[in-house]
Amino acid sequence: MNTRHRVQLFFTVLLSGLTPIFLGQHFGWSIWLCVFGSAALVACTGLLMTARFSRSAAPQVPPVQPPVQQPVPEPEPPVELPFREVPLHNLPLPSSRPDYDFRFSATVLWRPTQPLSLTAHANLAGLAADAILVRARQVSANEDPGRPDLLAMRLTGLLGAPAYDGGGLLVAMATGITVALTGEDTERLEKMTTLRKAEEAWEQQRQYERSRREYFGGEVLKSTGTAVVWWLSRHEEEVEQAVQFIGPLAELAAAANDSDVPEVFRHYVGRRPGAPGDPCEDPEFDDELADLLKQENQAASGAGDDGYATRMADLMNDLGLSPDSEEGLVWLDRVERATHAARPDREAAGPDPEDLAGPGGTSDQYDREPPRPGAPWQDFQNE
């Protein structure tokens, strides 16, 4: 307790001792009550002040704080060695064609995977260049030599990523990649490309001509009948002209097959449309008979005697003629004469029109010369 504390204690005790006396005189307390109250108040005040001064004089202890954990420092990553450069100029790379090599140029970036003092290799730069060339050959061996720019783009994407060499001693990549061909090889490839395109076009032309020859020789001109059918398929409305062209078509078919004109078509040979002797130019060659002959020629040598007789009977029915009537016999005689004029070969001309007459027909009376075209039936009967 220092002097300041003692002075404070003295005045406090004095004030606490006098306060009950003044109050007792004022309120008329007894002397013993004032003395007892003053003594008790002085004692209490003294104890309180002494205890207060003792606490203030005691040393203050700081509060206990939990220990702070210091952060553990992370290990620093190892310092990577810088990349080193190796230039490559005009080195050959194989292509998909023998004797046509690409010319490869690039800058190789490499660094060892461990300190140089621990690397057991005498020339790491050469090892890095070889690692890049090995990766480049794997791609160039399948590329066409006529496309060096495409190969350069592929190698730029492939070799631009770092990769380990075969032994894992270093990491290498390449930049500034260029691929080219020599001028002589470029000229040869361009010439070969031009020739190949010309040859392919020529082969296509030959195939086209061969196909046309097979079509005409094996289908169109296989026979006279197929030639006539082919001509009619292209000229459907020109049936009469088809008859006129039977002779030329028969000659073409025979020439295409290295054979003679069939006997059934020989009487058409030498006749041309509109030439003298053309049966179609005969004024007595009526339309019905022309249609009949056209149907017969389209059948390509005919369908036999039965087919010929059937067609003749159908035509007579369409005209309203009966084979047993005099008009029918005269009409049949005219057909026979026109048929002989168009086809001199008697056997190829079909059955005798007189065979179509009924059992009651009298063909003997027609052995003489038939009536003139346009003569009345009465004149024919009188004769």
Side-chain angles (χ1 to χ4, degrees):
M1 182 181 299
N2 53 23
T3 303
R4 186 173 62 84
H5 291 166
R6 290 189 183 96
V7 172
Q8 292 178 358
L9 179 60
F10 173 76
F11 283 106
T12 303
V13 171
L14 179 62
L15 182 61
S16 61
L18 295 177
T19 300
I21 294 175
F22 290 135
L23 292 176
Q25 291 179 359
H26 180 70
F27 292 105
W29 294 345
S30 63
I31 189 63
W32 296 106
L33 181 59
C34 293
V35 173
F36 178 77
S38 178
L41 184 58
V42 169
C44 291
T45 303
L47 292 175
L48 291 175
M49 293 297 293
T50 303
R52 177 183 176 188
F53 293 152
S54 298
R55 287 195 304 271
S56 62
Q60 296 182 357
V61 179
V64 179
Q65 296 181 354
V68 179
Q69 296 182 355
Q70 298 294 333
V72 179
E74 297 181 358
E76 296 182 0
V79 179
E80 294 183 352
L81 298 176
F83 280 98
R84 303 188 180 187
E85 296 184 1
V86 176
L88 302 179
H89 298 290
N90 205 26
L91 296 180
L93 289 179
S95 67
S96 59
R97 294 187 183 183
D99 301 328
Y100 286 91
D101 293 338
F102 294 105
R103 294 298 172 176
F104 175 75
S105 299
T107 300
V108 179
L109 304 178
W110 66 276
R111 66 184 175 191
T113 56
Q114 54 187 352
L116 294 177
S117 59
L118 302 178
T119 303
H121 198 282
N123 189 357
L124 291 178
L127 182 61
D130 181 69
I132 293 297
L133 290 176
V134 169
R135 295 166 62 187
R137 290 192 190 99
Q138 295 176 354
V139 179
S140 66
N142 299 322
E143 292 294 330
D144 189 273
R147 300 175 179 178
D149 295 337
L150 180 61
L151 176 60
M153 295 181 62
R154 294 192 60 185
L155 291 179
T156 299
L158 177 65
L159 303 180
Y164 292 97
D165 68 310
L169 298 178
L170 53 84
V171 176
M173 58 183 177
T175 60
I177 297 174
T178 59
V179 180
L181 284 177
T182 61
E184 294 79 2
D185 289 346
T186 302
E187 293 178 359
R188 294 189 190 97
L189 288 175
E190 291 178 354
K191 185 176 181 180
M192 291 174 60
T193 301
T194 303
L195 293 176
R196 183 176 65 256
K197 291 180 179 179
E199 184 179 1
E200 292 177 355
W202 174 244
E203 183 63 27
Q204 290 292 332
Q205 181 68 21
R206 290 175 56 194
Q207 182 64 29
Y208 172 73
E209 295 178 357
R210 188 183 299 113
S211 177
R212 287 178 61 86
R213 289 197 302 268
E214 292 177 357
Y215 169 67
F216 280 100
E219 298 183 21
V220 175
L221 299 178
K222 183 179 180 180
S223 64
T224 304
T226 58
V228 173
V229 172
W230 171 81
W231 194 92
L232 282 174
S233 66
R234 292 175 172 265
H235 309 81
E236 297 180 0
E237 305 297 331
E238 302 177 5
V239 180
E240 295 181 0
Q241 292 187 8
V243 179
Q244 302 174 5
F245 282 101
I246 291 178
L249 292 175
E251 292 179 304
L252 286 175
N257 294 278
D258 295 330
S259 61
D260 297 333
V261 177
E263 188 70 22
V264 68
F265 295 110
R266 287 184 180 176
H267 59 278
Y268 290 101
V269 176
R271 297 178 181 178
R272 298 294 182 266
D278 184 5
C280 294
E281 298 296 329
D282 189 354
E284 299 180 0
F285 197 62
D286 53 9
D287 296 338
E288 291 81 0
L289 185 57
D291 293 337
L292 177 62
L293 293 179
K294 292 167 187 174
Q295 294 177 6
E296 180 184 3
N297 292 331
Q298 290 176 7
S301 75
D305 293 344
D306 294 337
Y308 180 85
T310 301
R311 292 194 299 273
M312 292 291 293
D314 293 340
L315 182 58
M316 294 184 69
N317 290 333
D318 294 337
L319 297 176
L321 298 177
S322 175
D324 298 335
S325 63
E326 294 179 352
E327 294 86 351
L329 294 176
V330 172
W331 187 86
L332 288 174
D333 185 81
R334 294 183 62 192
V335 170
E336 182 183 7
R337 289 192 300 107
T339 303
H340 278 288
R343 300 171 61 180
D345 184 13
R346 184 63 184 87
E347 296 180 358
D352 193 342
E354 296 178 358
D355 296 339
L356 298 177
T362 57
S363 58
D364 294 338
Q365 59 180 329
Y366 300 108
D367 290 340
R368 61 186 181 276
E369 184 177 354
R372 298 182 307 277
W377 298 108
Q378 293 78 4
D379 296 343
F380 177 71
Q381 284 182 330
N382 295 333
E383 291 180 4

